Amino acid sequence: AGLGGIGLDTSKELVKRDLKNLVILDRIDNPAAIAELKAINPKVTVTFYPYDVTVPIAETTKLLKTIFAKLKTVDILINGAGILDDHQIERTIAVNYTGLVNTTTAILDFWDKRKGGPGGIICNIGSVTGFNAIYQVPVYSGTKAAVVNFTSSLAKLAPITGVTAYTVNPGITRTTLVHKFNSWLDVEPQVAEKLLEHPTQPSLACAQNFVKAIELNQNGAIWKLDLGTLEAIQWSK
């Protein structure tokens, strides 16, 4: 999701760099945000395609065919769709985990060096909850742990596939995502308020470190983006 919260701020930081193309796939079109991105740096071609990560793999593949035909090369995929609402169990798993796995699987069709592909880079957005759960939202925290594990596996498969991978894991960031959300079985009705009592970071600081992590391009890295800092996590194997 390139047009909401951290995604939009990250997109703004990305277009300031020496990019040729930025393709944004999101469920909701936001023409004002697209126009803003185009205005930041007219040298970058910004295009938007409507996409819901919960669609079947075949549909993702169809969309990717269109994108690859147009651009010829795609260097990096950023999987950033996410929801935080432990009342919506199936949807949380579908968006945060299944969707990310399916989109990754679909792009491998175009990138896998065993199929003559050029390889590529996958940047998956996890969360600090992936290695330090917010226990009141166990469904969300569980999906993020799955993302970190899945991505660490992709990184180890790079010699086979030619596709490298790493995770970017934001801490509590001041976005609409955290202002109000439901805990699992309402175990903590005040979960958002309690969370926001802790130190947080602004979305822009997170976005700037996000782009730093992309530029560092370290296969297998588990980046922690918290309180305005960027830190590599050593996760016990």
Side-chain angles (χ1 to χ4, degrees):
L3 298 177
I6 295 169
L8 181 56
D9 277 339
T10 303
S11 297
K12 286 180 189 170
E13 290 301 309
L14 282 170
V15 291
K16 291 176 188 172
R17 304 306 203 272
D18 186 21
L19 296 190
K20 208 166 156 190
N21 294 286
L22 177 66
V23 179
I24 290 174
L25 310 179
D26 207 331
R27 217 162 50 93
I28 296 152
D29 190 3
N30 183 341
I34 296 286
E36 194 184 346
L37 290 171
K38 286 179 172 172
I40 293 170
N41 185 355
K43 284 190 201 145
V44 182
T45 307
V46 180
T47 42
F48 170 81
Y49 293 90
Y51 177 58
D52 183 328
V53 295
T54 63
V55 299
I57 288 192
E59 249 178 86
T60 306
T61 305
K62 213 168 108 183
L63 174 59
L64 289 174
K65 263 193 184 130
T66 306
I67 294 166
F68 273 83
K70 211 170 152 203
L71 298 184
K72 304 295 179 265
T73 59
V74 175
D75 300 312
I76 177 168
L77 167 69
I78 302 171
N79 279 313
I83 60 164
L84 173 50
D85 181 354
D86 265 28
H87 283 185
Q88 298 188 64
I89 294 172
E90 283 88 353
R91 183 146 182 85
T92 297
I93 296 165
V95 172
N96 293 2
Y97 186 55
T98 313
L100 175 142
V101 172
N102 287 355
T103 307
T104 300
T105 305
I107 207 164
L108 258 291
D109 222 21
F110 301 83
W111 275 352
D112 195 330
K113 71 177 189 187
R114 294 171 301 168
K115 295 184 171 184
I121 303 161
I122 290 174
C123 168
N124 287 334
I125 302 187
S127 156
V128 293
T129 63
F131 34 85
N132 191 1
I134 296 173
Y135 61 86
Q136 301 95 327
V137 283
V139 182
Y140 175 83
S141 299
T143 60
K144 293 302 187 175
V147 167
V148 173
N149 247 305
F150 174 69
T151 312
S152 297
S153 302
L154 288 176
K156 291 196 172 78
L157 293 171
I160 296 166
T161 61
V163 176
T164 59
Y166 53 87
T167 52
V168 165
N169 301 281
I172 303 164
T173 307
R174 294 197 288 281
T175 67
T176 49
L177 198 67
V178 295
H179 286 305
K180 190 180 181 311
F181 58 91
N182 296 309
S183 63
W184 177 72
L185 300 178
D186 292 320
V187 288
E188 179 60 84
Q190 269 10 89
V191 65
E193 292 87 334
K194 288 222 162 124
L195 209 59
L196 290 170
E197 285 168 6
H198 295 277
T200 59
Q201 64 183 352
S203 180
L204 178 62
C206 183
Q208 287 167 336
N209 283 320
F210 194 142
V211 174
K212 257 186 221 163
I214 291 171
E215 288 172 333
L216 288 163
N217 190 22
Q218 215 174 300
N219 187 40
I222 300 170
W223 294 109
K224 180 181 168 190
L225 281 62
D226 202 12
L227 303 178
T229 64
L230 175 70
E231 178 196 343
I233 290 283
Q234 295 306 313
W235 212 21
S236 55
K237 293 292 178 280

